[in-house]
Amino acid sequence: MKVKVITQILEANDRIAAENRKKFKDANIYVINLMSAPGAGKTSLLERTIKELNGKIKIGVIEGDIAGIDDALKIESLGAPVVQINTGGACHLDANMISDVIDDLPLKELNLIIIENVGNLVCPAEFKVGEDMKVMLLSVAEGDDKPLKYPLMFQESSALILNKIDLLPYTNADLGKIKRDSLTLNPGLKVFDISCKTGEGINEWANWLQELLK
Amino acid sequence: MKVKVITQILEANDRIAAENRKKFKDANIYVINLMSAPGAGKTSLLERTIKELNGKIKIGVIEGDIAGIDDALKIESLGAPVVQINTGGACHLDANMISDVIDDLPLKELNLIIIENVGNLVCPAEFKVGEDMKVMLLSVAEGDDKPLKYPLMFQESSALILNKIDLLPYTNADLGKIKRDSLTLNPGLKVFDISCKTGEGINEWANWLQELLK
């Protein structure tokens, strides 16, 4: 079997990301870059998190999607400030896109901004947007081979949220393997088992966020 | 709510794709570009398809992954000729990558080449690689909002394979909505319901492929 390795130089956008970060820091806002494959449950997690932390942490959201405003409408219906970015063809958010919309959020009112990246396990991990922390979500229905096949996102993230654990009995996925491989790639990774459908584990995740923002 | 639309010009690689296609055509090989989000089951579908068509259609595979050779090893263990491309950072295959590996496959022995693209619902749909047809796979566990959120892949594909239908009773996904929205985007789309786990529906898909190659 032939194995061909192709290298690609990716656009650097670190300078703009640093400017965004300074702006967030000056406003005393913690920023999370939330990443996952399509359909892992990023928007459902946001909805659960906003409800769980209602009255405790004031959350604003930047929604990144190729097309559509469905996710932003869901967030808006919960009363949280939200901006929708439609990237057109781009498969990830970059620092410049975030820079363009920062002032559309009521920064003075917020403690935390969660940036929901485009559903993609690859490029979002390569582009800083000005976040304090990257968090990734993996649906257990995607299988247990994802850490070794998409290592960068696991390495770049501070927390890994394993979603849809209610589906675990109906899949071949080995939750232990996912955790072992993830922690081998990134020993400092904080791992949560959750189900946005049943609500299981949301409390632990929300409490961890609260501690982080103290 | 503010909505910001960003446009991006994507690299054109149509000339090389056309060269690849001519080479495949001269060798009398039909080529499928198989695309999906991570974990939708592309490799499992390949395994099922190769077994189902054993002795009927001689299939070669080009495996595209960010990292790793696990998928290629699975294909090789079935006796099918396979080349693994590791893209490094790139989130999709392009025509140039395919051009580089065409001659590593035994073209004279093959009737069909299936190119398994990188797991990503976005960019793979934008880059022709020299295929006769694009086929996409969607796991029903990804939810029923995918056609409207990632429209291009649904529009570019000739067939949509809905995988993991064994998980349907345990999700909130509406299979009818997925099909309606997909067919609205692309009325000519051929849709298959399958489960690579149980084998349901594989026969219909394999028969369709056989008809196509007649």
Side-chain angles (χ1 to χ4, degrees):
Chain A
M1 184 208 315
K2 295 275 176 66
V3 179
K4 178 113 194 158
V5 177
I6 290 157
T7 53
Q8 192 193 48
I9 296 164
L10 290 151
E11 179 192 356
N13 76 155
D14 287 8
R15 187 184 54 78
I16 303 170
E19 288 171 8
N20 292 349
R21 192 160 179 183
K22 184 174 184 315
K23 202 160 184 176
F24 290 132
K25 203 179 172 192
D26 289 348
N28 204 23
I29 297 173
Y30 196 88
V31 177
I32 292 175
N33 182 356
L34 181 63
M35 310 175 296
S36 80
K42 293 183 296 305
T43 311
S44 299
L45 178 72
L46 279 174
E47 293 177 281
R48 284 279 190 183
T49 306
I50 290 166
K51 284 179 195 164
E52 187 79 16
L53 292 172
N54 185 26
K56 296 169 187 162
I57 293 178
K58 185 76 183 165
I59 302 175
V61 174
I62 298 175
E63 280 290 344
D65 281 294
I66 301 292
I69 59 167
D70 284 3
D71 292 351
L73 290 172
K74 287 178 192 168
I75 301 303
E76 194 169 51
S77 75
L78 300 175
V82 59
V83 184
Q84 173 79 54
I85 297 175
N86 277 173
T87 65
C91 63
H92 59 273
L93 295 175
D94 65 27
N96 202 38
M97 297 178 194
I98 299 302
S99 171
D100 275 356
V101 302
I102 290 180
D103 292 327
D104 293 327
L105 284 171
L107 299 185
K108 285 180 184 166
E109 298 171 16
L110 301 175
N111 313 119
L112 172 65
I113 291 176
I114 303 182
I115 299 172
E116 182 181 334
N117 220 308
V118 178
N120 179 345
L121 270 190
V122 188
C123 303
E126 296 165 348
F127 290 80
K128 291 180 189 166
V129 294
E131 69 274 21
D132 291 287
M133 176 172 75
K134 289 183 171 74
V135 171
M136 75 170 289
L137 199 61
L138 183 76
S139 157
V140 298
E142 293 170 43
D144 53 26
D145 58 349
K146 295 299 156 296
L148 300 185
K149 291 181 73 174
Y150 300 88
L152 184 66
M153 195 172 286
F154 292 82
Q155 288 163 334
E156 287 284 319
S157 296
S158 302
L160 165 64
I161 302 179
L162 298 169
N163 190 23
K164 308 196 190 182
I165 51 165
D166 54 292
L167 289 182
L168 203 56
Y170 313 111
T171 73
N172 296 326
D174 177 345
L175 195 64
K177 176 172 162 55
I178 295 176
K179 291 181 183 180
R180 281 192 305 277
D181 289 346
S182 300
L183 290 167
T184 300
L185 287 167
N186 181 356
L189 198 62
K190 175 76 182 167
V191 183
F192 298 92
D193 295 356
I194 71 160
S195 166
C196 287
K197 191 176 170 202
T198 67
E200 189 180 341
I202 296 294
N203 192 254
E204 287 79 358
W205 152 250
N207 287 347
W208 186 74
L209 269 187
Q210 267 198 289
E211 286 299 315
L212 207 67
L213 267 71
K214 263 184 186 164
Chain B
M1 185 207 314
K2 294 276 177 66
V3 179
K4 179 115 194 158
V5 178
I6 290 158
T7 54
Q8 192 193 46
I9 297 163
L10 291 151
E11 177 192 356
N13 77 155
D14 287 8
R15 188 184 55 78
I16 303 170
E19 288 170 8
N20 292 348
R21 192 161 178 184
K22 183 173 184 316
K23 202 160 183 175
F24 291 131
K25 203 179 171 189
D26 288 349
N28 203 23
I29 298 173
Y30 196 87
V31 178
I32 291 176
N33 182 356
L34 181 63
M35 311 175 295
S36 80
K42 291 184 296 305
T43 311
S44 300
L45 178 72
L46 278 175
E47 293 178 281
R48 285 280 190 182
T49 306
I50 289 166
K51 284 180 195 163
E52 187 79 17
L53 293 173
N54 185 27
K56 296 171 187 161
I57 295 178
K58 186 74 182 162
I59 302 177
V61 173
I62 298 175
E63 279 290 344
D65 281 295
I66 300 292
I69 59 167
D70 284 4
D71 291 351
L73 290 173
K74 286 179 193 167
I75 301 304
E76 194 169 51
S77 75
L78 299 175
V82 59
V83 183
Q84 174 79 56
I85 297 175
N86 276 173
T87 65
C91 63
H92 58 273
L93 296 175
D94 65 27
N96 203 38
M97 298 178 193
I98 299 302
S99 171
D100 275 357
V101 301
I102 289 180
D103 292 326
D104 294 327
L105 284 172
L107 299 186
K108 286 179 184 167
E109 299 173 15
L110 301 175
N111 313 120
L112 171 66
I113 292 176
I114 303 183
I115 299 173
E116 182 181 334
N117 220 309
V118 179
N120 179 346
L121 271 190
V122 187
C123 304
E126 295 164 349
F127 290 80
K128 290 179 188 166
V129 293
E131 69 274 20
D132 292 286
M133 175 172 76
K134 290 183 171 76
V135 171
M136 76 171 288
L137 199 60
L138 182 77
S139 156
V140 298
E142 294 170 43
D144 54 25
D145 58 349
K146 295 299 157 294
L148 300 185
K149 291 181 73 176
Y150 301 88
L152 185 66
M153 196 172 286
F154 292 82
Q155 288 162 333
E156 287 284 320
S157 297
S158 302
L160 165 64
I161 301 178
L162 298 169
N163 190 22
K164 308 195 190 183
I165 52 165
D166 53 292
L167 289 181
L168 204 56
Y170 313 111
T171 73
N172 296 325
D174 178 345
L175 195 63
K177 176 174 163 51
I178 295 176
K179 291 182 183 181
R180 281 193 305 276
D181 289 346
S182 300
L183 290 167
T184 301
L185 288 167
N186 181 356
L189 199 61
K190 175 77 183 168
V191 184
F192 297 93
D193 295 357
I194 72 160
S195 165
C196 287
K197 192 177 170 200
T198 67
E200 189 180 342
I202 297 294
N203 192 254
E204 286 80 358
W205 153 249
N207 287 346
W208 187 72
L209 269 187
Q210 268 197 287
E211 286 298 314
L212 207 65
L213 266 72
K214 265 186 186 162

